[in-house]
Amino acid sequence: MTSTSTIPVPTARVPLWRRPFRLIRENARVYLLLNLATYGLVLIGFVIGLIFPELNEARIAALEENGDADLVARVFMNPVLFGLVILGVNVVRLSLFTIVLPSLIVPFAGLAFFGYWALQTGITLVPTTPVGWVAQIPHALTVIIELQAYLMLVLGAYLLGKHWLFPRTVGAKNRRQGYVRGLQRIGLLALPALVLLVIGAAWEAYSLRYLVGPLSELLL
């Protein structure tokens, strides 16, 4: 009896929810390098913030000036509203305006903007109070979840740039066709990214509202 285990499954037969993960597996090396670069930049930013606390203070001041800190203070007591605000910021400001939209205009632009954001985020994460250090315990999971969501979009931005500039390498006839295929890749990866952003926003709102206080009383 002939085995059929090695026969590839046509893309059309693969369930939609599995296609993004197959795309990640097909680009596992690039995805791994993007992970290393992102977490490395966050860690470098964190170390810089520890060495130069004035940079951390400047970042906090910037958040206060643009209204982010005030918005958080107003919605913090309502976890549902707090989570929705977090989700809105993560989807619109970070996912769309930082990663996706720049990449639609200039190839790989989203990777550069995201790298800068990762470095700045590392600086911002440096706690300035004992309670802040305790908050990093549950917030570490938030960082991991949200970064993974962004990394899926960053991978999509990379694939868009590759398909756009080098269409022949991915079987496209011209750059226009490569661009369209790149958009399809971003669309696929946006599905699990959105799910992770929802989970991350819910966890961040819940942990900051309900876990940091009891942990601070226990550990400080």
Side-chain angles (χ1 to χ4, degrees), residues 9 21 70 118 123 133 143 151 159 169:
V9 179
F21 303 104
D70 181 61
I123 295 174
W133 282 103
V143 172
L151 279 163
L159 293 176
T169 63

Side-chain angles (χ1 to χ4, degrees), residues 69-201:
D70 181 61
L71 177 61
V72 170
R74 284 189 280 118
V75 302
F76 180 76
M77 298 305 294
N78 186 328
V80 175
L81 185 57
F82 187 27
L84 289 175
V85 169
I86 294 171
L87 180 62
V89 171
N90 292 347
V91 170
V92 177
R93 182 185 299 177
L94 297 174
S95 299
L96 288 179
F97 288 114
T98 301
I99 301 172
V100 176
L101 291 182
S103 301
L104 299 182
I105 302 171
V106 179
F108 308 114
L111 279 70
F113 285 120
F114 178 71
Y116 177 76
W117 173 86
L119 185 66
Q120 292 291 313
T121 296
I123 295 174
T124 307
L125 285 174
V126 176
T128 58
T129 65
V131 174
W133 282 103
V134 173
Q136 292 302 311
I137 299 174
H139 194 61
L141 180 58
T142 301
V143 172
I144 293 173
I145 294 173
E146 292 181 351
L147 284 182
Q148 284 303 310
Y150 300 141
L151 279 163
M152 291 184 181
L153 295 175
V154 170
L155 176 61
Y158 166 82
L159 293 176
L160 171 61
K162 178 182 177 181
H163 291 23
W164 187 0
L165 295 181
F166 311 105
R168 302 292 183 182
T169 63
V170 293
K173 296 179 180 179
N174 50 51
R175 288 184 175 176
R176 181 178 179 179
Q177 189 178 83
Y179 187 86
V180 172
R181 290 189 182 182
L183 290 179
Q184 293 172 343
R185 302 297 186 268
I186 290 182
L188 277 177
L189 293 168
L191 298 176
L194 180 60
V195 173
L196 285 178
L197 287 176
V198 171
I199 295 173

